[in-house]
Amino acid sequence: LAGATDELSRGGARAAQVRTDKQGVYLAAHLPPGTYEIRPSAKISNLPTYQAIHFSPLSRRIELTDRDQREMDFTAHFKTR
């Protein structure tokens, strides 16, 4: 989903917030090793045809090491007006 926001938190504090590109891809670079929670969101005002957007899963946990490069996918479910 283009324009979605992905928030990465570590220990309950926001570590990064990134926005997806036209292909729905996001990149969070230069994060130190540790355990992160990734939670996607999208503003419904950006998609006037839809009444609601739900992501599955709601969030994901990931353990990063100093050499990690990972892909984490989420599925957006749309409820039409």
Side-chain angles (χ1 to χ4, degrees):
L1 177 65
T5 300
D6 292 300
E7 182 173 297
L8 290 88
S9 59
R10 182 176 178 201
R14 184 186 331 184
Q17 185 172 6
V18 295
R19 190 169 298 272
T20 57
D21 65 14
K22 291 187 280 185
Q23 287 78 37
V25 176
Y26 65 94
L27 172 66
H30 309 294
L31 294 172
T35 302
Y36 293 86
E37 180 178 16
I38 305 170
R39 183 177 301 271
S41 64
K43 291 184 179 181
I44 199 66
S45 60
N46 296 345
L47 301 163
T49 307
Y50 300 102
Q51 182 179 13
I53 302 171
H54 302 281
F55 288 92
S56 176
L58 296 177
S59 68
R60 289 183 184 258
R61 294 181 71 85
I62 185 172
E63 179 74 31
L64 295 180
T65 66
D66 60 348
R67 296 180 182 230
D68 271 332
Q69 185 173 9
R70 305 259 182 116
E71 293 182 21
M72 300 295 289
D73 291 327
F74 293 89
T75 302
H77 303 277
F78 301 94
K79 181 178 178 186
T80 56
R81 292 190 186 271

